Every structure is written in C-alpha cells, then in structure tokens.
Amino acid sequence: PKLAGLRICCIGAGYVGGPTMAMMALKCPEVVITIVDISVSRIAAWNSDVLPIYEPGLDKVVKACRGKNLFFSTEVDQGIRDADIIFVAVNTPTKKVGMGAGRAADLTYWELAARRIASVAETPKVVVEKSTVPINTAEAISAVLHGAGKTRFDVLSNPEFLAEGTAMTDLDNPDRVLIGGNMNESGKAAVAKLADVYAHWVPRERILTTNVWSSELSKLVANSFLAQRVSSINAVSAICEASGADVDEVARAVGMDSRIGSKFLKASVGFGGSCFQKDILNLVYLCQSMGLADVAEYFHSVVMMNDRQKERFVSRMIHGLFNTVTGKRIALLGFAFKKDTGDTRESASIEICRRLIEERASVCIYDPKVEADQIWMDLTAATKLDKTEVQKYVTLCDSAYEAASGAHALAIATEWDEFKTLDYGKIQEDMVKPSFVFDGRNVLDHDALRELGYIVYAIGKPL
Ligand code: NAD
Ligand code: UGA
C-alpha cells in the first residue's frame, strides 16, 4: 500500500488530537501513529481503561488500534524525530494577559511545540497545523522552524471541524477536509502527501486544497457562522418571549427555506464549548488589528448576544420565582456545554450557576458525565470563591431525582436525552409547590408538564 512505512506524530492528546488520530489509525492500519503530550496524567489515562475524554464510539476505536499502530507517549522528542508528518493539536486559548488579552489567541503552546520540533528534527518534516490559529500562523511557525531548525519543513494548515459528542461520526464521514499549503513544489508535494492519508477513507472530492491563509481563515469563519446562527435564533427567542410567537415554529418555518437550512437553529440557554467564543474573539482581534473596526463589531455582537442569552435565562428564573431565589433550592440539570460530552469549557451552566450563587440560591447540580472535581474547578474559577464558600450554595447530586428533591425549580441547561424520560410526576411529589420548570433547551414536553401542574418557562415560547 501507498502509505506503508509512513510515520505520523501528533503533539497534543486532547479532544482533537485523541479522536482524530484514533480515526486515522483505524482507517490507515499501515501507518504508525504516536500521540505525544507533556501531560503525564493525560497520557496515562489514554493508555488505561478509562480514557481522559468521553466521546461516543471513541473507546472502541482506541481499543482496536492501541498497541498496534496507535501509541500514546510522553516521549515528545522521540515522537518528533521518528515522524514524517507531525500534527500539532495543542490548545490555543484566549490570551489572559498582555497585548490582545481577552481576545487574541495565546500561541505560547504552539510556539513551544514548534521550537521543540525545530530543535530535535533531523530529517525533513511536514508540520500540520491542526489547532485553530489566527491567519498567518503557518507563516510565523515556518519562520520559527527554519530559523531554529536544521532541516526542511513544510507547514500545512489542516483545521479540524469535528464537534464534540459526535466527533467519531464527524471524523468518519466529514463534510470536507481542508488542507492549505504553499504553492511551491515542496508545498504541493506536502499537500499531496497529507491528502493521500485522508483519501484512505474520505472521497477525493471532499478533500479541498487552498492556500494557507484561506484555510486558516475558513476555520475561524466556519465557527463564527455557526455561532452566529445560534445567536440569531436566540435573539429571535427574545422576540418570541415578548410576543407570543414560538421559536421552534419560527425556526422550522425559516429553516425549510433551502437557502437557509434547518440545522443549527435550536434556541438555547446560549452556546458554550471551548471554541465558538474563543474563535470569534480571535477573528474580532484580527479584524481590529487590520483596521476593520466595523467588521470586528459585527462579529463581536455574536458573543455579546450569547452573554445576554445566559443572563436573560437567569433573569426569567428570578422573575418567575416571585423576584427572589435567595435560599431557594434550584435543581440544575446538566453541566456539560452540550449532550454526549463531559466537557464543560465555557458551558452556559457555569455562568447560570455563578449568577445563582450571587443571588444566594441553593443550587443542586446533576450531570450524567461531568466529574465532580471539574465542577468545583469551574465554579471556584468563575466565582473567585474558594471551594468551601462555593459549597455553602452548591451541592452535587447523583441523579436528577436527588437534585430535584425539595427544589422550587428545575432548570435544564444541557439537552441530555435522559432528561426527556424522567418521571416528572414522581419528581413533582418531592418539590416545593408551585413547582417550576425552566427548560433552557426546549427538550421537554411542556404541555404534559403543565398537565402535571408545573409552571413551565421555555426558551422563546409563550407561557
Ligand atoms: P485540549 O486542551 O483538550 O488538548 C491540548 C493538549 O495539548 C493538552 O493535553 C496539552 O497538555 C497538550 N500540549 C500543550 N502544549 C504542548 C506541548 N508543547 N507539547 C506537547 N503537548 C502539549 O485542546 P483541544 O480541545 O484538543 O483543542 C486543541 C486545538 O484544536 C485548539 O486550537 C482548538 O481550538 C482546536 N479545535 C478544537 C475542537 C474541539 O472540539 N475541542 C474542534 C476543532 C478544533
Ligand atoms: C463546534 C463546531 O460545530 C465544530 O465544527 C468545530 O470543529 C468546533 O466547534 C471547534 O472548532 O471546536 P462544538 O463546540 O464541539 O463544535 O459543538 P457544537 O455542536 O457546535 O455546539 C456548540 C454550542 O452551541 C453548544 O453549547 C450547543 O449546545 C450550542 N448550540 C448548537 C445551540 O445552542 N443551538 C444549536 O442549534 C446548535
């Protein structure tokens, strides 16, 4: 086979590095893939029975390939030295301090990885940008590699479009694979080499090649468009609540226009996840640095609308509960930023919870997948209180039933399937009356709940 003998290394064993390389290993059994990371605990978890991330279908693929052609290691230098193609899938969070703080991408981890590659690589390498980065990063990385290294490097941009919760099916059957490269001879050869890997399972017509800048920009634009749809429908939900229109009916009617499309029009408590906000702010910062203040403002409004949506949800809860939640028990169902993941990064639940703590409510949280330690870490960081302070207001529960017992209200923050099939009659027996439901995901049967006697508030729906 064409790829026999090819060796791939991926730096960064996170939500992207783990699943993408596992899928590649499954589809290209003749390629040896090593995923390296500086985090000893993360690598140990990848090598254990309990993987460090929860993603439907991931376990099976990792277990099928691990030890055969898929390896997890902390030997970063060895991984780099042995590889022909090196993916870099390290985190690129929003900068916390310094120039561009709160908006620009922090490329510290990326540059450290690039400098590591430069210092240990002895033979020519194709270096692939898998992380989401600002435009021009490939050029900057290329300068670092060539300035500090002793061999030839071709830098490609190959952004990842998987969504958490559906990562394995997205990787198995992607809408497209995007590869950006230089147009010189070695650039073209590098693009062809990477395209051959993907062509093992992705139809050639779905493998797009562009210049590096277009590829880098397309990733930021794709996430900004997706987030913009959510903010648009959430803005509409505010109009619906003030007018008697129903946001799901509006989304259906609007989405059936084939030019608009029906996906990604689900009104919610606000989008979360590690990337939407980060990538939009990154684009905003790029626009500002290019002197495009109006373009920056346009995209920035998507994030502002999202912040308002979270605040609107909490305000409705306070107003509904007779203008105070102080001392009232509230069952918060769902802490992950969407269903089928244990990831809580930028989850709307964190902000909802922070606000409820500020209001001195008693919050009982249940999520089927998120670890307790993660919740405490998120809430101490968001409230700037220590854990014992937070614990005065927050209790973690092992089931939705336990969280709801003695509660004034249930708030659905994540659309986990199991919340749809709870016995709401039984739940209500143990709740304070009148019992409230605030459905932040519009996943419950509101008529049935009202029949049971609940007062139901839903996003973008008449009372
Ligand atoms: P993550 O935090 O889960 O994983 C990043 C890993 O890189 C960590 O395990 C960290 O220890 C490791 N790392 C950091 N610096 C390193 C270094 N110098 N050497 C070796 N390892 C190092 O992040 P993620 O969610 O996988 O995201 C990675 C990138 O992919 C980001 O740029 C993100 O924007 C992008 N992305 C993420 C998703 C997603 O769904 N999470 C989807 C598409 C794109
Ligand atoms: C998103 C993109 O969908 C991926 O293509 C991209 O690769 C990824 O970001 C990334 O770059 O990290 P992800 O954040 O994992 O993926 O999940 P999404 O399904 O996009 O959901 C993001 C947030 O929007 C979630 O909080 C979700 O609940 C919310 N959402 C989504 C809505 O509120 N309504 C919708 O209609 C869709």
Side-chain angles (χ1 to χ4, degrees):
K2 224 172 165 182
L3 302 180
L6 186 72
R7 297 183 75 100
I8 290 179
C9 170
C10 174
I11 304 181
Y15 285 86
V16 168
T20 50
M21 292 301 122
M23 183 57 70
M24 203 170 270
L26 183 75
K27 301 292 183 177
C28 308
E30 68 274 44
V31 177
V32 176
I33 301 182
T34 306
I35 312 182
V36 296
D37 203 295
I38 41 177
S39 164
V40 176
S41 59
R42 225 170 194 186
I43 290 297
W46 280 111
N47 281 321
S48 77
D49 283 339
V50 186
L51 302 186
I53 63 176
Y54 170 69
E55 195 56 59
L58 176 65
D59 248 54
K60 214 171 119 209
V61 175
V62 169
K63 284 175 186 157
C65 303
R66 198 171 54 188
K68 293 188 186 119
N69 67 328
L70 179 67
F71 301 90
F72 296 91
S73 165
T74 49
E75 302 291 323
V76 178
D77 291 359
Q78 188 65 39
I80 294 171
R81 239 180 255 121
D82 291 346
D84 306 295
I85 301 179
I86 303 168
F87 286 86
V88 182
V90 300
N91 36 330
T92 52
T94 305
K95 264 185 99 169
K96 288 203 172 76
V97 292
M99 197 161 72
R103 286 164 296 154
D106 181 350
L107 294 176
T108 316
Y109 304 107
W110 227 114
E111 189 172 331
L112 281 174
R115 289 194 181 275
R116 207 65 234 150
I117 297 172
S119 70
V120 302
E122 286 150 5
T123 51
K125 311 284 179 201
V126 174
V127 177
V128 185
E129 250 178 23
K130 199 47 149 165
S131 306
T132 303
V133 290
I135 320 174
N136 283 340
T137 303
E139 222 179 354
I141 293 301
S142 188
V144 169
L145 289 171
H146 286 113
K150 30 190 182 300
T151 180
R152 202 187 71 241
F153 300 96
D154 285 291
V155 182
L156 303 179
S157 160
N158 171 223
E160 183 48 57
F161 296 101
L162 68 81
E164 287 176 30
T166 53
M168 299 315 278
T169 48
D170 293 343
L171 289 165
D172 189 17
N173 186 23
D175 285 349
R176 77 319 207 171
V177 165
L178 180 57
I179 305 175
N182 274 328
M183 295 299 155
N184 57 25
E185 282 315 305
S186 76
K188 282 186 197 157
V191 170
K193 198 172 189 175
L194 185 57
D196 283 346
V197 174
Y198 282 109
H200 254 50
W201 77 100
V202 180
R204 283 276 178 188
E205 64 276 14
R206 283 199 234 152
I207 303 176
L208 301 185
T209 57
T210 64
N211 74 32
V212 266
W213 300 279
S214 304
S215 173
E216 289 172 336
L217 179 58
S218 300
K219 174 62 195 176
L220 297 181
V221 170
N223 272 359
S224 301
F225 273 36
L226 288 168
Q228 177 247 313
R229 276 175 79 89
V230 179
S231 273
S232 293
I233 200 69
N234 282 342
V236 171
S237 76
I239 309 175
C240 291
E241 285 160 29
S243 69
D246 177 323
V247 74
D248 284 338
E249 291 179 354
V250 175
R252 183 150 186 267
V254 172
M256 275 175 80
D257 185 323
S258 60
R259 294 169 302 174
I260 295 173
S262 59
K263 292 183 183 162
F264 249 75
L265 284 182
K266 187 82 187 143
S268 67
V269 73
F271 61 73
S274 62
C275 292
F276 277 0
Q277 173 169 309
K278 158 176 88 68
D279 294 348
I280 295 172
L281 293 175
N282 184 345
L283 186 62
V284 165
Y285 183 70
L286 279 167
C287 294
Q288 286 167 337
S289 23
M290 291 166 177
L292 304 169
D294 44 358
V295 184
E297 202 181 318
Y298 173 73
F299 283 111
H300 195 220
S301 68
V302 173
V303 174
M304 277 162 39
M305 186 53 63
N306 196 50
D307 290 340
R308 299 243 176 83
Q309 188 74 354
K310 292 180 255 184
E311 179 53 34
R312 254 173 22 79
F313 185 71
V314 176
S315 305
R316 264 187 124 203
M317 212 184 290
I318 297 168
H319 290 315
L321 290 164
F322 315 109
N323 290 319
T324 178
V325 291
T326 305
K328 289 181 181 166
R329 180 164 173 150
I330 304 207
L332 184 66
L333 302 189
F335 203 79
F337 80 98
K338 64 185 280 196
K339 73 169 181 177
D340 293 338
T341 177
D343 195 352
T344 62
R345 291 177 290 180
E346 302 296 337
S347 175
S349 295
I350 300 173
E351 177 57 15
I352 293 167
C353 212
R354 188 194 68 78
R355 283 286 295 110
L356 291 173
I357 292 171
E358 209 168 68
E359 298 288 336
R360 304 286 181 258
S362 158
V363 189
C364 302
I365 302 173
Y366 167 67
D367 186 283
K369 277 284 173 239
V370 178
E371 307 281 341
D373 284 350
Q374 186 62 50
I375 299 181
W376 296 128
M377 248 159 35
D378 289 335
L379 293 180
T380 47
T383 56
K384 301 194 171 60
L385 298 172
D386 61 33
K387 187 171 162 185
T388 40
E389 272 300 298
V390 173
Q391 284 176 329
K392 285 186 190 159
Y393 304 102
V394 178
T395 318
L396 306 189
C397 300
D398 291 326
S399 73
Y401 296 98
E402 186 191 332
S405 170
H408 288 74
L410 300 175
I412 309 277
T414 314
E415 73 283 22
W416 285 103
D417 288 337
E418 69 173 67
F419 298 159
K420 295 183 197 166
T421 52
L422 296 172
D423 182 343
Y424 284 93
K426 183 170 154 226
I427 284 181
Q428 204 198 13
E429 285 169 16
D430 290 338
M431 286 180 71
V432 176
K433 312 291 179 314
S435 322
F436 288 80
V437 169
F438 296 90
D439 185 355
R441 294 288 187 166
N442 290 349
V443 285
L444 305 184
D445 181 341
H446 302 147
D447 290 339
L449 291 173
R450 289 189 179 111
E451 289 268 297
L452 289 170
Y454 284 98
I455 299 174
V456 181
Y457 284 78
I459 303 282
K461 305 248 179 196
L463 269 189

